[in-house]
Amino acid sequence: MKLGIFGGTFDPIHNAHLFVAESARILEGLDRVLFVPTNNQHYRSVAQVGPEHRCAMVLGAIASNPAFKLDDTDLRKDATGYTADLLPRLREKYPDARFTFIIGADSLANNTWERFDEVLESLERFVVAPRMGVRPDALQRVLAAVPKNLRERIATLNLPELPESATLIRTLLSQNKSVRYLVPEPVWQYIVSQKLYGAGSAGA
Ligand code: ATP
């Protein structure tokens, strides 16, 4: 089985996440894509809403796609939030799967990954979706530091750049503006009903 692994804070999940995951599934011939929410604070600030809310929104967003699943391995108490530690845990769960890690270019270009070689060694493929604001030379610099035999596992997905970000969604909601159609309908309904991210009546 070819398994896609798509990690993120998903605070909240939005349409670009789904587009990237579905495109990776098709382009890479994946049987399934796991959405793996994290509490990881190594590379970013703390999530604004708790893991229960973020998981509920992921479940709502992926319900209509039978190839998409939620995996809570990186939310376990003993999770470190490092991908190098996550992958062996996923390997225990899915011993026969071939792993493809899916990521947006910003995650790779803007952070120094811990034990990146170890991460690549656990994977068959590491695919990168283009993201607005990430310059190709920033990505090239990261790739240049990877040993050649591992670099061959990394590929860029030929996709358009999409403007959505969780930051944009949270900002609009905090300004009492609508995010309807920037996020899947069940996510929008959940945000409004739970009044997340400061959503008020105009947000609805
Ligand atoms: P934030 O704005 O809070 O940083 P985010 O929109 O980047 O959040 P995350 O949950 O941190 O969302 O992202 C999960 C993964 O999805 C990351 O690898 C990220 O790079 C990728 N991603 C998110 N939005 C996009 C997008 N518009 N295009 C391509 N990749 C994206």
Side-chain angles (χ1 to χ4, degrees):
M1 182 181 53
K2 289 186 77 171
L3 197 59
I5 301 166
F6 192 30
T9 313
F10 302 122
D11 186 30
I13 189 166
H14 52 69
N15 286 339
H17 290 134
L18 296 172
F19 176 78
V20 166
E22 177 66 354
S23 301
R25 186 186 72 74
I26 294 167
L27 293 170
E28 296 291 317
L30 306 174
D31 298 296
R32 200 189 288 176
V33 177
L34 299 181
F35 287 72
V36 187
T38 184
N39 286 325
N40 173 6
Q41 292 165 42
H42 304 302
Y43 307 128
R44 49 166 299 130
S45 52
V46 63
Q48 273 197 19
V49 309
E52 312 76 23
H53 283 314
R54 289 183 284 124
C55 285
M57 291 188 280
V58 170
L59 284 173
I62 67 177
S64 61
N65 190 328
F68 287 175
K69 301 275 179 272
L70 172 75
D71 185 294
D72 66 1
T73 303
D74 214 25
L75 292 172
R76 290 193 331 211
K77 273 205 177 65
D78 58 351
T80 65
Y82 288 113
T83 306
D85 295 325
L86 168 68
L87 291 173
R89 289 172 179 193
L90 291 176
R91 174 59 62 209
E92 278 172 28
K93 262 176 135 169
Y94 309 98
D96 300 323
R98 288 142 70 194
F99 289 169
T100 293
F101 205 78
I102 305 164
I103 198 163
D106 58 304
S107 302
L108 195 56
N110 301 344
N111 305 298
T112 306
W113 279 46
E114 290 278 328
R115 292 138 66 204
F116 191 45
D117 290 5
E118 212 177 304
V119 168
L120 291 172
E121 272 156 13
S122 317
L123 301 169
E124 185 173 74
R125 298 269 287 165
F126 184 97
V127 295
V128 185
R131 188 141 194 207
M132 276 182 171
V134 178
R135 291 172 37 179
D137 58 322
L139 215 49
Q140 287 314 320
R141 248 197 321 277
V142 177
L143 298 186
V146 176
K148 190 168 178 301
N149 64 316
L150 295 176
R151 205 184 312 153
E152 286 162 358
R153 301 183 187 188
I154 306 176
T156 303
L157 295 170
N158 184 12
L159 298 176
E161 293 177 353
L162 298 180
E164 285 95 344
S165 70
T167 304
L168 171 68
I169 310 287
R170 294 192 303 269
T171 302
L172 290 170
L173 287 163
S174 72
Q175 296 168 350
N176 205 21
K177 293 178 179 157
S178 178
V179 299
R180 194 171 190 185
Y181 307 119
L182 289 176
V183 297
E185 193 73 6
V187 174
W188 172 72
Q189 283 171 6
Y190 189 88
I191 288 172
V192 171
S193 69
Q194 299 286 323
K195 298 190 170 53
L196 300 183
Y197 309 107
S201 54

